[in-house]
Amino acid sequence: MDLAPSPLSRAFPQLRAIEGVTLRVARARYKNWDRADLTFAELAKGTSVAGVFTKSACASSEVEMGREQVTLGLARALIVNAGNSNAFTGYRGREAVEQIMAQVAEALDCEPSSVFVSSTGVIGVPLPKDKARDGVAAVLESEPCGWEEAANAIGTTDTFTKGAGASAMLGDTRVELAGIIKGSGMIAPDMATMLGYIFTDAAIEAAFLQEMLSKANEETFSCITVDGDTSTSDTVLAFATGKVGNAPLTSWEDAGADAFYAALLEVCRELAHLVVRDGEGAQKFIEVAVSGAESDESARRVGLAIANSPLVKTAIAGGDANWGRVVMAVGKAGEPADRDKLSIGFGGVWAAKDGQPLADYDEAPVAKHLQGQDIRMDVDLGIGEGRAKVWTCDLTHGYISINADYRS
Amino acid sequence: MDLAPSPLSRAFPQLRAIEGVTLRVARARYKNWDRADLTFAELAKGTSVAGVFTKSACASSEVEMGREQVTLGLARALIVNAGNSNAFTGYRGREAVEQIMAQVAEALDCEPSSVFVSSTGVIGVPLPKDKARDGVAAVLESEPCGWEEAANAIGTTDTFTKGAGASAMLGDTRVELAGIIKGSGMIAPDMATMLGYIFTDAAIEAAFLQEMLSKANEETFSCITVDGDTSTSDTVLAFATGKVGNAPLTSWEDAGADAFYAALLEVCRELAHLVVRDGEGAQKFIEVAVSGAESDESARRVGLAIANSPLVKTAIAGGDANWGRVVMAVGKAGEPADRDKLSIGFGGVWAAKDGQPLADYDEAPVAKHLQGQDIRMDVDLGIGEGRAKVWTCDLTHGYISINADYRS
């Protein structure tokens, strides 16, 4: 099934090379297709690593091993397989990952534990070891390539190629960040999974890189939803080669730490938004801004309850400023809320305040706003200082067509 | 918008009259329509009452007051307004409810607190007091009617009329139960809400009636989902008139308590199923049977995660035995699970066992089963003794059409 590019797609940006990162792709032919589906990033010695992973209790071997590997803090290579997620494949799945780690480690003369592996695609079929072996051999010999080629090769059912970059000044030293991501919801046939990789030439101690990535994740990847479903393989890794030669960042007190975090946050946010923009059947990008909650975490949960509500998402699809459905979604979130203090608006215009519809509510500008592609919803709970932004897309006939009409 | 009856609809059953219950309906014209939209059940003196209500933090005044009223344990009347949910209407909404309670209490010479009020329909518009006053006056004067007429009058966007009955032997005394319900998901424009009422001529102490209703609710109404969304007004009330003259049931030790509970559970289960059968756009009724969970409650949560997954629901809509999506839904449930002990089947045939696809899996009978209207899914977690059944419907283009294409 070839899908037209999402109407919310963005052109792939100009991304600078990151010193200490060499990208290569090859054809492992994990599926019966003629495209690069195996991606290799070679990383300079001393590269530190951090990661965030799906909370799924049924995670893939790649995720189980990755969770352990990041605690060691060192990375020399990344391998991404596209077309087969290797999830729900038991010990045979684990063996395939270990084979790849050993093969790359031997070629680079490094520890297998510093070789990170991700896989995305069909569930329940063990990654074929022969194809993986030949593919890895081929990718080790292939020519270096650019960001867009790598971003393409990690994709499965993505309708456009996704990347984001930023830079930051650590004192007088300019550092670069570049990121690529794949994902478009849990799409048929189980071509699931969000996989994101961020690279920087800054030197950052692994523990602090993890602290920053985890914090950025809470405000970005953890705040997006397409259909509320969670992949068994979701992974975001950050690699810092240190090749720019700055004094390694070790804590928030270090000069430049805040600047670097701001750049990391920007890259994470853009990558997260791109995944939503490729949501199955999406016609509108929706930002839900929640304020006045008991805490930021509570605000995030309320925002996700709204963003995951099929009734809210179908209302937006229909261009309907249906604030009653937003009330319903706030009510079911299971978070502190007071019906009589709740305010709801669309596109900067309040429709209801303090638990009642506004008498002078002017629907015309709201209706116009809802005709657009970028929708803003404001929800003020009126009981505290907690805030969060959450992003999603609308729920359309396109989603049903992709997920129900197509047989795996 | 007039919808065709759901393909999963059931004919309204023959229900016996319940001594001590008199039903009447009238036209309050809460909307611009010509149909009965105000329902009145007069209950014999001494009728005990129990209730379960939405957990929404943004509940309507009717729900807030009902939660208090059931603690008193006595009911003389029920009023149900259809066409206006009176939710999210602040103090004006509460005043309308209090007016109805006072008016009925005066007519019946009873305490206002024994008059129960429910409302269902559009959110955010206070129930018009004048229409309520005239409607209540009219209904008090109208001729008694039967179950089907009352079940029709409480409905809003329901595509068929829903009722269920049962009987039980308390020693030599036969007692009757009759129930009616409305609800078909949170349907446009905010004609939300599941409202269910169960009546019996048995004598049952209010506290014990509450215990039985709460227990039955956990296995029935709390185990259904159409789209995962929760109304601000969901309510189920049970009334026991005692007119059959049995020695009042006060605890599980009493003779006949188990028999009565079995009948109550049967009525609750059938009413709950009927709501799912009227799910928006539903083409298939789905039973998810979870076993081997850490506890029954954990099994229920896993079942609801599966039943609420848009990807699982669209797969069933497409007749696709997509067990990979079920793995995904189990993983995201946040409950104890072990990928390598998980088994999944459809229509009594296992597709995956102990974390791996079955080598000799025969898809033909499964594909045939999925062509039908009644779908059974088995999920064994393999880690404990907890069990639950959960019911839902598939997610189809019909759901999108009803909720997105139609403007409120």
Coordinates of all heavy atoms in Angstrom, one line a residue, chain A residues 12-83:
Chain A
F12 N 12.3 17.9 4.1 CA 13.5 17.6 4.9 C 14.5 18.8 5.0 O 14.8 19.4 4.0 CB 14.2 16.4 4.3 CG 15.2 15.7 5.2 CD1 14.7 14.7 6.1 CD2 16.5 16.0 5.2 CE1 15.6 14.1 7.0 CE2 17.4 15.4 6.1 CZ 16.9 14.4 7.0
P13 N 14.9 19.1 6.2 CA 15.7 20.3 6.4 C 17.2 20.1 6.0 O 17.6 19.0 5.8 CB 15.6 20.5 7.9 CG 15.5 19.2 8.5 CD 14.7 18.4 7.5
Q14 N 17.9 21.2 5.8 CA 19.4 21.2 5.6 C 20.0 20.8 7.0 O 19.8 21.6 8.0 CB 19.9 22.5 5.2 CG 19.5 22.9 3.7 CD 20.2 21.9 2.7 OE1 21.3 21.4 3.0 NE2 19.5 21.7 1.6
L15 N 20.7 19.7 7.1 CA 21.3 19.3 8.4 C 22.8 19.3 8.2 O 23.3 18.7 7.2 CB 20.8 18.0 8.9 CG 19.3 17.9 9.2 CD1 19.0 16.4 9.7 CD2 18.9 18.9 10.3
R16 N 23.6 19.9 9.1 CA 25.1 19.8 9.0 C 25.6 18.4 9.4 O 24.9 17.7 10.1 CB 25.7 20.8 10.0 CG 25.4 22.3 9.6 CD 25.8 23.2 10.7 NE 25.4 24.5 10.5 CZ 26.2 25.4 10.0 NH1 27.5 25.2 9.7 NH2 25.8 26.7 9.7
A17 N 26.7 18.1 8.8 CA 27.4 16.9 9.2 C 27.8 17.0 10.7 O 28.1 18.1 11.2 CB 28.6 16.6 8.4
I18 N 27.8 15.9 11.4 CA 28.3 15.9 12.8 C 29.6 15.2 12.9 O 29.7 14.0 12.5 CB 27.3 15.2 13.7 CG1 25.9 15.8 13.6 CG2 27.7 15.1 15.2 CD1 25.7 17.2 14.3
E19 N 30.6 15.9 13.3 CA 32.0 15.2 13.4 C 31.9 14.0 14.3 O 31.4 14.1 15.4 CB 33.0 16.2 13.8 CG 34.4 15.8 13.3 CD 35.5 16.8 13.8 OE1 35.1 17.9 14.3 OE2 36.7 16.4 13.8
G20 N 32.5 12.9 13.8 CA 32.4 11.7 14.6 C 31.3 10.8 14.3 O 31.2 9.7 14.9
V21 N 30.4 11.2 13.3 CA 29.3 10.3 12.9 C 29.5 10.0 11.4 O 29.5 11.0 10.6 CB 28.0 11.0 13.2 CG1 26.8 10.1 12.7 CG2 27.8 11.4 14.6
T22 N 29.5 8.8 11.1 CA 29.5 8.4 9.6 C 28.3 7.5 9.4 O 28.1 6.5 10.1 CB 30.8 7.6 9.3 OG1 31.9 8.4 9.8 CG2 30.9 7.4 7.8
L23 N 27.5 7.9 8.4 CA 26.3 7.2 8.1 C 26.5 6.3 6.8 O 27.1 6.8 5.8 CB 25.1 8.2 7.8 CG 24.8 9.1 9.0 CD1 23.9 10.2 8.5 CD2 24.2 8.4 10.2
R24 N 25.9 5.1 6.8 CA 25.9 4.3 5.6 C 24.6 3.5 5.6 O 24.0 3.2 6.7 CB 27.0 3.3 5.7 CG 28.4 3.8 5.6 CD 29.5 2.7 5.6 NE 30.8 3.2 5.3 CZ 31.7 3.7 6.2 NH1 31.3 3.7 7.5 NH2 32.8 4.2 5.8
V25 N 24.1 3.2 4.4 CA 22.9 2.3 4.3 C 23.2 1.2 3.3 O 24.1 1.3 2.5 CB 21.7 3.2 3.8 CG1 21.3 4.3 4.8 CG2 21.9 3.7 2.4
A26 N 22.3 0.2 3.4 CA 22.5 -1.0 2.5 C 21.1 -1.7 2.4 O 20.1 -1.4 3.1 CB 23.5 -2.0 3.1
R27 N 21.0 -2.6 1.4 CA 19.8 -3.4 1.2 C 20.0 -4.7 1.8 O 20.6 -5.6 1.3 CB 19.6 -3.5 -0.3 CG 19.1 -2.2 -1.0 CD 19.2 -2.4 -2.5 NE 18.4 -1.5 -3.3 CZ 18.6 -0.1 -3.4 NH1 19.7 0.4 -2.8 NH2 17.8 0.6 -4.1
A28 N 19.3 -4.9 2.9 CA 19.3 -6.3 3.5 C 18.1 -7.1 3.0 O 18.0 -8.3 3.1 CB 19.1 -6.2 5.0
R29 N 17.2 -6.4 2.3 CA 15.9 -7.0 1.7 C 15.2 -7.8 2.8 O 14.8 -8.9 2.6 CB 16.3 -7.8 0.5 CG 16.8 -7.0 -0.6 CD 16.9 -7.7 -2.0 NE 17.1 -6.8 -3.1 CZ 18.3 -6.2 -3.4 NH1 19.3 -6.6 -2.7 NH2 18.4 -5.4 -4.4
Y30 N 14.9 -7.1 4.0 CA 14.1 -7.8 5.0 C 12.7 -8.1 4.5 O 12.0 -8.9 5.0 CB 14.1 -6.9 6.2 CG 15.4 -6.9 7.0 CD1 16.1 -5.7 7.2 CD2 15.9 -8.1 7.5 CE1 17.3 -5.7 7.9 CE2 17.1 -8.0 8.2 CZ 17.8 -6.8 8.4 OH 19.0 -6.8 9.1
K31 N 12.3 -7.3 3.5 CA 11.0 -7.5 2.9 C 11.3 -7.6 1.4 O 12.4 -7.4 0.9 CB 10.0 -6.4 3.1 CG 9.6 -6.2 4.5 CD 8.5 -5.3 4.7 CE 7.2 -5.9 4.2 NZ 6.0 -5.1 4.5
N32 N 10.3 -8.0 0.6 CA 10.5 -8.2 -0.8 C 10.4 -6.8 -1.5 O 9.4 -6.4 -2.1 CB 9.4 -9.1 -1.3 CG 9.6 -9.4 -2.8 OD1 10.7 -9.2 -3.3 ND2 8.5 -9.8 -3.5
W33 N 11.4 -6.0 -1.2 CA 11.4 -4.6 -1.8 C 12.8 -4.3 -2.2 O 13.8 -4.9 -1.9 CB 10.8 -3.6 -0.8 CG 11.5 -3.6 0.6 CD1 12.8 -4.0 0.9 CD2 11.0 -3.0 1.8 NE1 13.0 -3.8 2.2 CE2 11.9 -3.2 2.8 CE3 9.7 -2.5 2.1 CZ2 11.7 -2.8 4.1 CZ3 9.5 -2.0 3.4 CH2 10.5 -2.2 4.4
D34 N 12.9 -3.2 -3.1 CA 14.2 -2.8 -3.6 C 14.5 -1.4 -3.0 O 14.3 -0.4 -3.7 CB 14.2 -2.8 -5.1 CG 15.6 -2.6 -5.6 OD1 16.6 -3.0 -5.0 OD2 15.7 -1.9 -6.7
R35 N 14.9 -1.4 -1.8 CA 15.2 -0.1 -1.2 C 16.2 -0.4 0.0 O 16.3 -1.5 0.5 CB 14.0 0.6 -0.6 CG 13.1 -0.4 0.2 CD 12.2 0.4 1.2 NE 13.0 0.8 2.4 CZ 12.4 1.2 3.5 NH1 11.1 1.4 3.6 NH2 13.2 1.6 4.6
A36 N 17.0 0.7 0.4 CA 17.8 0.5 1.5 C 17.0 0.3 2.8 O 16.0 1.1 3.0 CB 18.7 1.8 1.7
D37 N 17.3 -0.7 3.6 CA 16.5 -1.0 4.8 C 17.4 -1.3 5.9 O 16.9 -1.8 7.0 CB 15.5 -2.1 4.5 CG 16.1 -3.4 3.9 OD1 17.4 -3.4 3.9 OD2 15.4 -4.3 3.6
L38 N 18.7 -1.1 5.8 CA 19.6 -1.3 6.9 C 20.5 -0.1 7.0 O 21.1 0.3 6.0 CB 20.4 -2.6 6.7 CG 21.2 -3.1 7.9 CD1 21.4 -4.6 7.8 CD2 22.5 -2.4 8.2
T39 N 20.5 0.6 8.2 CA 21.2 1.8 8.4 C 22.2 1.6 9.4 O 22.0 1.0 10.4 CB 20.2 2.9 8.8 OG1 19.1 3.0 7.9 CG2 20.9 4.3 8.9
F40 N 23.4 2.2 9.2 CA 24.6 2.0 10.1 C 25.1 3.4 10.4 O 25.4 4.2 9.5 CB 25.6 1.1 9.4 CG 26.9 1.1 10.1 CD1 27.1 0.8 11.4 CD2 28.1 1.3 9.3 CE1 28.3 0.7 12.0 CE2 29.4 1.2 9.9 CZ 29.5 0.9 11.3
A41 N 25.2 3.7 11.6 CA 25.9 5.0 12.0 C 27.2 4.5 12.8 O 27.1 3.9 13.9 CB 25.0 5.9 12.9
E42 N 28.3 4.9 12.3 CA 29.6 4.6 13.0 C 29.9 5.8 13.8 O 29.8 7.0 13.4 CB 30.7 4.3 12.0 CG 32.0 3.9 12.8 CD 33.2 3.6 11.9 OE1 32.9 3.3 10.7 OE2 34.3 3.6 12.4
L43 N 30.2 5.6 15.1 CA 30.4 6.7 16.1 C 31.9 6.7 16.6 O 32.4 5.6 16.8 CB 29.5 6.5 17.2 CG 28.0 6.4 16.8 CD1 27.1 5.8 17.9 CD2 27.4 7.8 16.4
A44 N 32.4 7.9 16.7 CA 33.8 8.0 17.2 C 34.0 7.3 18.5 O 33.0 7.3 19.3 CB 34.2 9.5 17.2
K45 N 35.2 6.9 18.8 CA 35.5 6.3 20.1 C 35.2 7.4 21.2 O 35.5 8.6 21.0 CB 37.0 5.9 20.2 CG 37.3 4.6 19.6 CD 38.7 4.2 19.8 CE 39.0 2.9 18.9 NZ 40.4 2.6 18.9
G46 N 34.7 6.9 22.3 CA 34.4 7.9 23.4 C 33.0 8.5 23.3 O 32.6 9.3 24.1
T47 N 32.2 8.1 22.3 CA 30.9 8.7 22.1 C 30.0 8.2 23.3 O 29.9 7.0 23.6 CB 30.2 8.2 20.8 OG1 31.0 8.8 19.7 CG2 28.8 8.7 20.7
S48 N 29.4 9.2 24.0 CA 28.5 8.9 25.1 C 27.0 8.7 24.5 O 26.7 9.2 23.4 CB 28.5 9.9 26.2 OG 28.1 11.2 25.7
V49 N 26.2 8.0 25.2 CA 24.9 7.6 24.7 C 23.8 7.7 25.9 O 24.2 7.5 27.0 CB 24.9 6.2 24.1 CG1 25.2 5.1 25.1 CG2 23.5 5.9 23.5
A50 N 22.6 8.1 25.5 CA 21.5 8.0 26.4 C 20.3 7.6 25.6 O 20.3 7.6 24.4 CB 21.2 9.4 27.0
G51 N 19.3 7.0 26.3 CA 18.1 6.5 25.6 C 16.8 6.6 26.4 O 16.9 6.5 27.6
V52 N 15.7 6.7 25.7 CA 14.4 6.5 26.3 C 13.7 5.5 25.4 O 13.8 5.5 24.2 CB 13.6 7.8 26.4 CG1 14.2 8.7 27.4 CG2 13.5 8.5 25.1
F53 N 12.9 4.6 26.1 CA 12.3 3.5 25.5 C 10.8 3.3 25.8 O 10.4 3.9 26.8 CB 13.0 2.2 25.9 CG 14.5 2.2 25.6 CD1 15.4 2.7 26.5 CD2 15.0 1.7 24.4 CE1 16.8 2.7 26.3 CE2 16.3 1.7 24.1 CZ 17.2 2.2 25.0
T54 N 10.1 2.6 25.0 CA 8.7 2.3 25.2 C 8.6 1.7 26.7 O 9.4 1.0 27.1 CB 8.2 1.2 24.2 OG1 6.8 1.0 24.6 CG2 9.0 -0.1 24.3
K55 N 7.4 2.0 27.3 CA 7.1 1.4 28.6 C 6.4 0.1 28.4 O 5.9 -0.5 29.4 CB 6.3 2.4 29.4 CG 7.2 3.6 29.9 CD 6.4 4.6 30.6 CE 7.3 5.8 31.0 NZ 6.5 7.0 31.3
S56 N 6.2 -0.3 27.2 CA 5.5 -1.6 26.9 C 6.0 -2.7 27.7 O 7.2 -2.9 27.8 CB 5.5 -1.9 25.5 OG 4.9 -3.2 25.3
A57 N 5.1 -3.5 28.3 CA 5.5 -4.7 29.0 C 5.9 -5.9 28.1 O 6.4 -6.9 28.5 CB 4.4 -5.2 30.0
C58 N 5.6 -5.6 26.8 CA 5.9 -6.7 25.8 C 6.9 -6.1 24.8 O 6.8 -6.3 23.6 CB 4.6 -7.0 25.0 SG 3.3 -7.8 26.1
A59 N 8.0 -5.5 25.3 CA 9.0 -4.8 24.5 C 9.8 -5.9 23.7 O 9.9 -7.0 24.1 CB 9.9 -4.0 25.3
S60 N 10.4 -5.4 22.6 CA 11.2 -6.3 21.8 C 12.5 -6.5 22.4 O 12.9 -5.8 23.4 CB 11.4 -5.6 20.4 OG 12.2 -4.5 20.6
S61 N 13.3 -7.5 21.9 CA 14.6 -7.8 22.5 C 15.5 -6.6 22.3 O 16.4 -6.3 23.2 CB 15.3 -9.0 21.7 OG 14.6 -10.2 22.0
E62 N 15.4 -5.9 21.2 CA 16.2 -4.7 20.9 C 16.0 -3.7 22.1 O 17.0 -3.1 22.6 CB 15.8 -4.0 19.6 CG 16.3 -4.7 18.4 CD 15.4 -5.9 17.9 OE1 14.7 -6.5 18.8 OE2 15.5 -6.3 16.8
V63 N 14.8 -3.5 22.5 CA 14.5 -2.6 23.6 C 15.0 -3.1 24.9 O 15.7 -2.4 25.7 CB 13.0 -2.3 23.7 CG1 12.6 -1.6 25.0 CG2 12.5 -1.5 22.5
E64 N 14.8 -4.4 25.2 CA 15.3 -4.9 26.5 C 16.8 -4.8 26.6 O 17.3 -4.4 27.6 CB 14.9 -6.4 26.5 CG 13.4 -6.7 26.8 CD 13.2 -8.2 26.9 OE1 14.0 -9.0 26.5 OE2 12.1 -8.5 27.4
M65 N 17.5 -5.0 25.5 CA 18.9 -4.9 25.5 C 19.4 -3.5 25.5 O 20.3 -3.1 26.2 CB 19.5 -5.7 24.3 CG 19.2 -7.2 24.4 SD 19.7 -8.1 22.9 CE 21.4 -8.3 23.3
G66 N 18.7 -2.6 24.8 CA 19.1 -1.2 24.7 C 18.9 -0.6 26.1 O 19.8 0.2 26.5
R67 N 17.9 -1.0 26.8 CA 17.7 -0.4 28.2 C 18.9 -0.7 29.1 O 19.4 0.1 29.9 CB 16.5 -1.1 28.9 CG 15.1 -0.5 28.4 CD 14.0 -1.4 29.0 NE 12.7 -0.9 28.5 CZ 11.6 -1.7 28.4 NH1 11.7 -3.0 28.8 NH2 10.5 -1.2 28.0
E68 N 19.5 -1.9 28.9 CA 20.7 -2.3 29.7 C 21.9 -1.5 29.1 O 22.8 -1.0 29.9 CB 21.0 -3.8 29.6 CG 20.0 -4.6 30.4 CD 20.2 -6.1 30.1 OE1 21.3 -6.5 29.8 OE2 19.2 -6.8 30.1
Q69 N 22.1 -1.5 27.8 CA 23.3 -0.9 27.2 C 23.5 0.6 27.5 O 24.6 1.0 27.7 CB 23.2 -1.1 25.6 CG 23.4 -2.5 25.2 CD 23.1 -2.6 23.7 OE1 22.0 -2.9 23.3 NE2 24.1 -2.3 22.8
V70 N 22.4 1.3 27.6 CA 22.6 2.8 27.9 C 23.1 3.0 29.3 O 23.7 4.0 29.5 CB 21.3 3.6 27.7 CG1 20.9 3.7 26.2 CG2 20.1 3.1 28.5
T71 N 22.9 2.0 30.2 CA 23.4 2.2 31.5 C 25.0 2.2 31.5 O 25.6 2.7 32.4 CB 22.9 1.2 32.5 OG1 23.4 -0.1 32.1 CG2 21.4 1.1 32.5
L72 N 25.5 1.6 30.5 CA 27.0 1.6 30.4 C 27.5 2.9 29.8 O 28.7 3.3 30.0 CB 27.5 0.4 29.5 CG 27.0 -1.0 30.0 CD1 27.3 -2.0 29.0 CD2 27.6 -1.3 31.4
G73 N 26.7 3.6 29.0 CA 27.0 5.0 28.6 C 27.9 5.2 27.4 O 28.2 6.3 27.0
L74 N 28.3 4.1 26.8 CA 29.2 4.2 25.6 C 28.6 3.6 24.4 O 28.1 2.5 24.4 CB 30.6 3.5 25.9 CG 31.5 4.3 26.8 CD1 32.7 3.4 27.2 CD2 32.0 5.6 26.1
A75 N 28.9 4.3 23.2 CA 28.4 3.8 21.9 C 29.4 3.9 20.9 O 30.1 4.9 20.8 CB 27.1 4.5 21.5
R76 N 29.5 2.9 20.0 CA 30.4 3.0 18.9 C 29.6 2.8 17.6 O 30.1 3.2 16.5 CB 31.5 1.8 18.9 CG 32.7 2.1 19.8 CD 33.5 3.4 19.3 NE 33.8 3.4 17.9 CZ 34.8 2.8 17.3 NH1 35.6 1.9 18.0 NH2 35.0 2.9 16.0
A77 N 28.4 2.3 17.7 CA 27.7 2.0 16.4 C 26.2 1.9 16.7 O 25.8 1.5 17.8 CB 28.2 0.8 15.7
L78 N 25.4 2.2 15.7 CA 24.0 2.0 15.7 C 23.6 1.3 14.4 O 24.1 1.7 13.3 CB 23.3 3.4 15.7 CG 21.8 3.4 15.4 CD1 21.0 2.7 16.5 CD2 21.3 4.8 15.1
I79 N 22.8 0.3 14.5 CA 22.2 -0.4 13.4 C 20.7 -0.4 13.5 O 20.1 -0.7 14.5 CB 22.7 -1.9 13.4 CG1 24.2 -2.1 13.2 CG2 21.9 -2.7 12.3 CD1 24.7 -2.0 11.7
V80 N 20.1 0.0 12.4 CA 18.6 0.1 12.3 C 18.1 -0.8 11.2 O 18.5 -0.6 10.0 CB 18.1 1.5 12.2 CG1 16.5 1.5 12.2 CG2 18.6 2.4 13.2
N81 N 17.3 -1.8 11.5 CA 16.7 -2.7 10.5 C 15.2 -2.2 10.3 O 14.5 -2.0 11.2 CB 16.6 -4.1 11.1 CG 18.0 -4.6 11.5 OD1 18.9 -4.7 10.7 ND2 18.1 -4.9 12.8
A82 N 14.9 -2.1 9.0 CA 13.5 -1.7 8.7 C 12.8 -2.8 7.9 O 13.4 -3.4 7.0 CB 13.5 -0.4 7.8
G83 N 11.6 -3.1 8.3 CA 10.8 -4.1 7.6 C 10.4 -5.3 8.5 O 9.5 -6.0 8.1

